[in-house]
Amino acid sequence: MKRIVTLVAAAALIMGLAATASAELAVKAAGTWRVHGNVLSNFGDFNDDADDTYADTFTVQHRMRTQLRFVYNENVMGELYTEYGTATWGQESAAYGAGENEDGDAFHVKRAFIQFRWPDTDIVTTVGEQDITFPSSGAFSNMVLGGDDGSAIAVSAPITDMIGLTVAYTRLFENATVTTGNDADAFLAALPVTLDGMVLAPWFSYGIIGQNTDLNTDDETANVWWAGLGFNMDMLDPIVIYADFVYGSADDGFGGLADGTDGWLADAMVEFKGLDFALLQAFAAYSSANDDGDGAMPNIRSDWGIGGSMVNGSAFTSDLGGANPGFWMVGVAARDITFIERLSHDVIALYAQGTGDAITGLNDDGDTVVQNTGFLGDLALTSDDSYWEVDFNTRYQMYESLAAIVELGYGKPDLDDVAGLTTQRADDAQMKASFGFQYSF
């Protein structure tokens, strides 16, 4: 409580000083606060016999994100984006009587940057800690890098009324214990094109990954690059089409692969908006892989997901994060099903299999599947393995800014036995029931 009072007082002081410093300065606040409970079974380990507190448990959690923008005028502004949580009730910082220095996910700065327009131009520069998500069609997000924040500088400018240009540099990681080969840097160039009824988003990224970073296990610097295209088209109204294609290649050592890797991803979604009571979707994706791990697209942190599902789609914390290369997927969804005012439902169904070749035994690292073949969390799929999932979510919009949300999900893998393995991989069903409140302002 002492911490919260101190933070509120500090925020009030900042706003007061800002108001007196300049009559032109405006402070704008936005945010998303949520409190929710989770009932989980075999969540993430798919194992009825596992003896741990995460697979079968009930937890209550909260997270508060608040965005403050200090806008001097249309040319200059700064943003301070704070986050408290995600905190689990009864644990660490959310335990009864927890002190200021209690370990755990407590209050921290999520983003802090300056954004300004170069004088007498339309060139906009954003510098500082900001969202770093590579471009995509908008249907699935990006599998290479996305969904989190980091330190970067990004410069955007219009070339014509239809074509823009964005270039960016980010230092992803730096190992402070050594002085050589200790950095992981990435560069990005994107050329968004907006046409009548169509948007194209071609992009290219190049990374230099030092040998003394967690992303590189070789004794030399690893180079990695990606080229991608995001596409969406609404000229066929009420049909909207989204698609992405990405190809990437990495040197030896990147991601722990001795022989490097190169591979690709293609995904697509078709939406039908012609119904008054629902939005219909069909989607598919394919990401390459093979039997020795060098056929999968390299990636750093995936943000790829299916909204509303356990594939990086929960409004709370009850999903398994972004999907990683090495699978194909098909699925359908009916969203915003509404028959009663302010009450809506989503239904999602999906099926996935691995694209890496089947295996006959353990690999050098002791895993039961090939390196760099992934899907969700610790669930990696070969071409003989599959996973299917059904989700049913409900949202009651109590007020314009406050919603009550219930998420129900069931996911079942079917994993092939591995010859020579004494204990086979668990493939029991995982289930979730999450419920809570979300306040957006």
Side-chain angles (χ1 to χ4, degrees):
M1 178 60 73
K2 180 180 177 181
R3 177 190 298 151
I4 298 301
V5 171
T6 302
L7 292 170
V8 170
L13 177 62
I14 290 171
M15 291 183 182
L17 291 175
T20 58
S22 172
E24 295 185 54
L25 185 67
V27 180
K28 301 180 180 179
T32 302
W33 295 12
R34 70 188 191 195
V35 181
H36 58 94
N38 306 308
V39 179
L40 307 175
S41 177
N42 302 330
F43 201 75
D45 62 10
F46 304 95
N47 191 352
D48 283 336
D49 299 324
D51 183 19
D52 60 70
T53 58
Y54 182 57
D56 299 304
T57 189
F58 166 71
T59 58
V60 182
Q61 299 175 309
H62 59 250
R63 188 192 72 188
M64 284 71 180
R65 288 179 171 175
T66 305
Q67 179 187 51
L68 294 175
R69 286 195 166 184
F70 301 84
V71 182
Y72 186 81
N73 55 35
E74 67 275 9
N75 297 314
V76 183
M77 77 95 171
E79 178 173 301
L80 179 65
Y81 194 159
T82 63
E83 179 178 77
Y84 176 70
T86 298
T88 301
W89 289 16
Q91 296 182 18
E92 299 175 332
S93 62
Y96 177 74
E100 284 188 18
N101 298 318
E102 192 76 26
D103 292 337
D105 296 320
F107 187 91
H108 61 275
V109 174
K110 180 173 172 61
R111 297 176 196 165
F113 61 80
I114 301 170
Q115 186 176 87
F116 61 90
R117 190 184 311 272
W118 197 260
D120 303 318
T121 72
D122 290 325
I123 301 173
V124 176
T125 300
T126 305
V127 58
E129 191 161 359
Q130 56 192 282
D131 173 63
I132 300 177
T133 299
F134 283 0
S136 69
S137 66
F140 307 95
S141 194
N142 195 289
M143 191 177 289
V144 173
L145 180 64
D148 214 333
D149 308 297
S151 301
I153 179 171
V155 180
S156 299
I159 298 176
T160 69
D161 291 340
M162 297 184 298
I163 303 175
L165 174 65
T166 296
V167 293
Y169 159 75
T170 177
R171 171 145 291 179
L172 297 169
F173 307 102
E174 180 172 308
N175 182 355
T177 63
V178 294
T179 58
T180 59
N182 60 332
D183 304 324
D185 297 327
F187 304 84
L188 172 73
L191 197 72
V193 180
T194 303
L195 305 173
D196 187 17
M198 183 185 304
V199 176
L200 301 172
W203 59 274
F204 178 83
S205 179
Y206 174 73
I208 304 172
I209 313 300
Q211 66 269 29
N212 292 315
T213 65
D214 291 340
L215 289 175
N216 184 2
T217 57
D218 198 53
D219 57 3
E220 295 182 356
T221 296
N223 299 293
V224 56
W225 62 267
W226 300 270
L229 174 65
F231 164 87
N232 65 70
M233 180 177 68
D234 61 4
M235 64 173 59
L236 304 177
D237 185 63
I239 296 174
V240 182
I241 300 173
Y242 304 85
D244 297 280
F245 181 81
V246 184
Y247 182 89
S249 179
D251 287 346
D252 298 353
F254 180 85
L257 293 173
D259 297 325
T261 186
D262 61 272
W264 55 276
L265 161 74
D267 60 43
M269 176 183 288
V270 178
E271 284 186 346
F272 180 71
K273 297 184 175 182
L275 302 177
D276 293 334
F277 60 88
L279 170 68
L280 304 182
Q281 296 177 335
F283 52 87
Y286 186 98
S287 56
S288 63
N290 61 23
D291 61 350
D292 58 9
D294 64 359
M297 181 183 71
N299 73 330
I300 297 174
R301 186 191 188 279
S302 175
D303 192 42
W304 196 96
I306 305 297
S309 75
M310 289 183 279
V311 186
N312 201 32
S314 174
F316 302 130
T317 57
S318 50
D319 63 43
L320 298 180
N324 289 297
F327 70 94
W328 64 264
M329 177 190 291
V330 293
V332 293
R335 303 186 185 274
D336 296 325
I337 303 170
T338 305
F339 298 106
I340 300 174
E341 186 179 3
R342 296 192 292 178
L343 183 67
S344 63
H345 309 279
D346 295 343
V347 181
I348 304 109
L350 60 90
Y351 176 86
Q353 280 190 212
T355 53
D357 292 344
I359 56 176
T360 58
L362 295 174
N363 291 279
D364 293 339
D365 61 1
D367 293 338
T368 57
V369 292
V370 296
Q371 290 183 331
N372 210 33
T373 297
F375 180 49
L376 286 178
D378 294 331
L379 176 64
L381 303 177
T382 72
S383 57
D384 290 331
D385 304 325
S386 64
Y387 172 83
W388 64 271
E389 177 181 320
V390 177
D391 298 273
F392 181 78
N393 306 321
T394 298
R395 183 184 186 95
Y396 175 56
Q397 201 69 38
M398 303 169 63
Y399 299 98
E400 183 178 355
S401 59
L402 181 65
I405 300 172
V406 176
E407 297 181 340
L408 304 175
Y410 180 95
K412 179 67 171 68
D414 183 9
L415 306 181
D416 195 48
D417 287 346
V418 178
L421 189 62
T422 303
T423 303
Q424 297 296 330
R425 296 174 292 164
D427 58 1
D428 298 312
Q430 72 170 6
M431 293 171 280
K432 74 162 186 178
S434 299
F435 46 89
F437 302 94
Q438 181 173 282
Y439 171 46
S440 302
F441 58 94

